[in-house]
């Protein structure tokens, strides 16, 4: 019995020693096993723009089966509307929601604070593990998100890509997620900017001008445009239901059928020739976009 216990004790000691030697790179001078490097988590950076929106909260949500999933990150925008957030191990489609904050309205020059329930959104079809995406959160990305959510199957990657592309084509911006709009209130902002950046900024300013002429807040008009865009046609209706923009000076206003088309083109032209446009952009350069808006009949896709 004593001999057997001695044998087992020696065997255990040998096994322990072998494990230690292997862990230390023993065994004939073989190199130690490499320690895996820690993979950096995913992140998203960008700007919230309806005019730069300062002090807004950006929340990020994963998407599963075309539907909103759990929150995976959050951030607050700075005075220029910029934000940055870490998303940890998240990968795949991503929904961004922006609430709160304030911006300078292009048409009136007044500071507008987003009311509870007012929101801008953006949706990405893919975010590979450990990568950083830089995106814009604007009324146009919000319209695209509303479209994708309404499509059969919801916010799936193919629907997200189709909706972002459709809104980008309608406003002659191209990539609404990654193109940064100019700020028309900033002196000389159009100098050196691409046509897409100028179209983007002027489309947002046109929305502001239209809202001003209708006597409603531009932030409320953004929500109305999201509702209007969801079915793929800007006709002042959400499906068959008329859209009310509000609350405004008179308690809200019915959205006109051409608000996202001919009416928006007219408003854009008015802003281009106003004192508020300090961008340096040539009004003649906007003719093509204004003609497209006026003749599309509001059909996004």
């Amino acid at each position: 019995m004593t001999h057997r216990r001695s044998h087992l004790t020696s065997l255990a000691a040998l096994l322990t020693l072998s494990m230690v030697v292997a862990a230390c790179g023993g065994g004939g001078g073989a190199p130690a096993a490499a320690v895996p490097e820690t993979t950096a988590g995913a992140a998203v950076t960008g700007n919230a723009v309806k005019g730069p929106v300062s002090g807004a909260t950006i929340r990020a949500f994963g998407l599963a089966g075309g539907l909103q999933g759990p929150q995976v990150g959050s951030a607050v925008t700075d005075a220029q509307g910029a934000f940055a957030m870490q998303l940890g191990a998240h990968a795949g489609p991503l929904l961004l929601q922006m609430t709160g904050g304030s911006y300078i309205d292009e048409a009136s020059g007044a500071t507008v604070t987003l009311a509870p329930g007012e929101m801008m959104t953006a949706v990405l079809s893919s975010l590979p593990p450990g990568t950083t995406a830089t995106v814009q959160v604007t009324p146009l990305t919000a319209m695209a998100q509303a479209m994708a959510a309404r499509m059969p199957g919801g916010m799936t990657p193919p629907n997200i890509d189709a909706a972002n592309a459709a809104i980008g084509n309608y406003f002659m911006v191209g990539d609404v997620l990654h193109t940064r709009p100019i700020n028309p209130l900033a002196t000389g902002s159009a100098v050196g900017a691409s046509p897409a950046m100028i179209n983007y900024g002027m489309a947002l300013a046109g929305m502001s001008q239209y809202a001003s002429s209708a006597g409603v807040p531009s932030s409320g008009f953004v929500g109305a445009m999201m509702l209007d865009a969801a079915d793929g046609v800007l006709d002042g209706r959400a499906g068959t239901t008329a859209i009310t923009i509000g609350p405004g000076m008179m308690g809200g206003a019915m959205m006109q059928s051409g608000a996202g088309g001919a009416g928006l083109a007219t408003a854009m032209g008015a802003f281009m020739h106003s004192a508020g446009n300090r961008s340096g952009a040539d009004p003649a350069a906007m003719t093509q976009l204004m003609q497209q808006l006026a003749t599309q009949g509001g059909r996004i896709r």
Side-chain angles (χ1 to χ4, degrees):
M1 180 65 72
T2 300
H3 175 74
R4 184 180 180 185
R5 285 179 180 173
S6 176
H7 176 73
L8 291 175
T9 300
S10 299
L11 180 60
L14 179 60
L15 289 173
T16 301
L17 179 60
S18 298
M19 293 170 64
V20 172
V21 170
C24 294
V35 178
E37 294 184 4
T38 301
T39 302
V44 62
T45 65
N47 302 275
V49 185
K50 178 54 201 88
V53 186
S54 64
T57 298
I58 310 280
R59 295 181 176 87
F61 300 86
L63 296 171
L67 300 175
Q68 179 178 326
Q71 182 173 323
V72 294
S74 67
V76 176
T77 61
D78 66 14
Q80 287 72 47
F83 66 91
M85 73 176 80
Q86 297 296 318
L87 303 176
H90 175 79
L94 187 72
L95 169 67
L96 300 177
Q97 293 181 347
M98 188 216 79
T99 56
S102 60
Y103 63 91
I104 299 176
D105 182 70
E106 296 96 332
S108 67
T111 298
V112 176
T113 299
L114 273 73
E118 291 182 333
M119 179 185 298
M120 291 198 310
T121 56
V123 66
L124 293 71
S125 63
S126 177
L127 183 63
T131 59
T132 297
T134 300
V135 301
Q136 310 299 308
V137 181
T138 74
L140 300 195
T141 63
M143 292 166 68
Q145 183 272 319
M147 281 184 62
R150 178 77 178 270
M151 291 178 180
M155 292 178 285
T156 62
N159 286 350
I160 292 169
D161 287 339
N164 282 329
I167 291 293
N169 291 336
Y170 184 81
F171 288 98
M172 296 182 67
V173 171
D175 189 345
V176 293
L177 278 177
H178 302 106
T179 301
R180 185 171 182 177
I182 66 165
N183 180 2
L185 299 181
T187 302
S189 58
V191 178
S194 69
M197 295 168 68
I198 297 172
N199 286 348
Y200 209 153
M202 290 305 172
L204 303 186
M207 292 181 188
S208 172
Q209 188 70 46
Y210 186 94
S212 179
S213 66
V216 297
S218 54
S219 57
F221 188 65
V222 171
M225 289 289 281
M226 290 176 67
L227 289 173
D228 202 3
D231 59 6
V233 182
L234 295 173
D235 57 359
R237 307 180 74 83
T240 59
T241 304
I243 298 171
T244 300
I245 312 169
M249 297 176 184
M250 304 300 293
M254 297 302 296
M255 192 170 191
Q256 300 301 305
S257 60
L264 182 57
T266 299
M268 189 183 302
F271 177 82
M272 287 290 297
H273 290 92
S274 74
N277 177 22
R278 305 198 258 306
S279 69
D282 181 0
M286 303 307 300
T287 300
Q288 187 177 2
L289 173 57
M290 292 167 60
Q291 287 179 341
Q292 175 161 299
L293 293 177
T295 59
Q296 286 284 95
R299 294 197 171 275
I300 303 170
R301 56 179 173 83

